[in-house]
């Protein structure tokens, strides 16, 4: 009986060692185009018309596309993202100033929606949907 118990114990340990994490890096998840869907405070959200989309690139660049003019806004915006925060940095060359915005983020609906909660804003919550 002891050899069978030993074999099952070894198989169990080997199985546990091979367990891999299925967590996807937020730097990969955020890449792509996101269109605003709703804004508000906390869970009190209202639908919001999409004016364009925000695109996050692999090299930490953010670009904003405007549907009405069919153009990108010429801003110098970069981002950093970790397990807790998305930090956007906008450089305004005309006044030589950098504006930093910090958001708690959450990916929803199988990573097809992005919730951003900003601390210092009138409407501090926004929901975006991933677009192609």
């Amino acid at each position: 009986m002891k050899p069978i118990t030993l074999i099952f114990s070894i198989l169990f340990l080997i199985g546990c060692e091979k367990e891999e994490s299925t967590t996807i890096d937020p730097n990969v998840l955020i890449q792509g185009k996101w269109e605003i869907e709703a804004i508000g405070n906390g869970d009190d959200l209202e639908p919001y018309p999409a004016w364009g989309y925000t695109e996050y690139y692999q090299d930490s660049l953010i670009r904003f596309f405007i549907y009405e003019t069919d153009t990108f806004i010429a801003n110098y915006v970069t981002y950093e993202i970790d397990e807790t925060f998305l930090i956007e940095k906008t450089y305004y060359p005309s006044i030589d100033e950098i504006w930093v915005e910090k958001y708690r983020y959450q990916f929803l609906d199988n990573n097809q929606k992005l919730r951003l909660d900003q601390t210092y804003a009138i409407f501090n919550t926004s929901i975006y949907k991933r677009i192609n």
Side-chain angles (χ1 to χ4, degrees), residues 2-111:
K2 286 185 180 182
I4 291 175
T5 305
L6 180 62
I7 289 171
F8 282 117
S9 297
I10 291 171
L11 290 175
F12 176 76
L13 290 173
I14 289 172
C16 290
E17 288 176 17
K18 290 184 179 180
E19 187 175 308
E20 295 181 19
S21 172
T22 58
T23 303
I24 301 173
D25 181 357
N27 285 291
V28 173
L29 281 179
I30 200 155
Q31 292 173 24
K33 298 175 184 176
W34 297 90
E35 187 177 72
I36 195 159
E37 190 172 73
I39 63 169
N41 294 304
D43 291 329
D44 184 20
L45 300 170
E46 295 289 328
Y48 193 80
W51 49 266
Y53 62 82
T54 304
E55 188 167 7
Y56 293 87
Y57 291 86
Q58 181 179 5
D59 62 358
S60 298
L61 177 69
I62 302 174
R63 292 184 73 192
F64 304 100
F65 185 81
I66 308 300
Y67 292 139
E68 187 176 325
T69 59
D70 198 34
T71 58
F72 284 96
I73 295 176
N75 282 346
Y76 302 94
V77 185
T78 60
Y79 72 94
E80 298 172 26
I81 190 168
D82 61 23
E83 293 79 26
T84 307
F85 292 106
L86 166 66
I87 301 169
E88 293 184 6
K89 298 176 182 176
T90 306
Y91 174 65
Y92 295 97
S94 60
I95 57 175
D96 196 29
E97 189 173 299
I98 296 176
W99 184 358
V100 177
E101 295 178 87
K102 193 173 187 177
Y103 304 89
R104 285 198 181 275
Y105 68 88
Q106 183 179 13
F107 291 99
L108 308 166
D109 293 342
N110 201 24
N111 302 321

Side-chain angles (χ1 to χ4, degrees), residues 110-125:
N110 201 24
N111 302 321
Q112 296 306 301
K113 292 196 178 186
L114 172 64
R115 176 184 173 130
L116 297 177
D117 290 295
Q118 185 181 22
T119 306
Y120 304 104
I122 294 171
F123 297 107
N124 64 354
T125 301

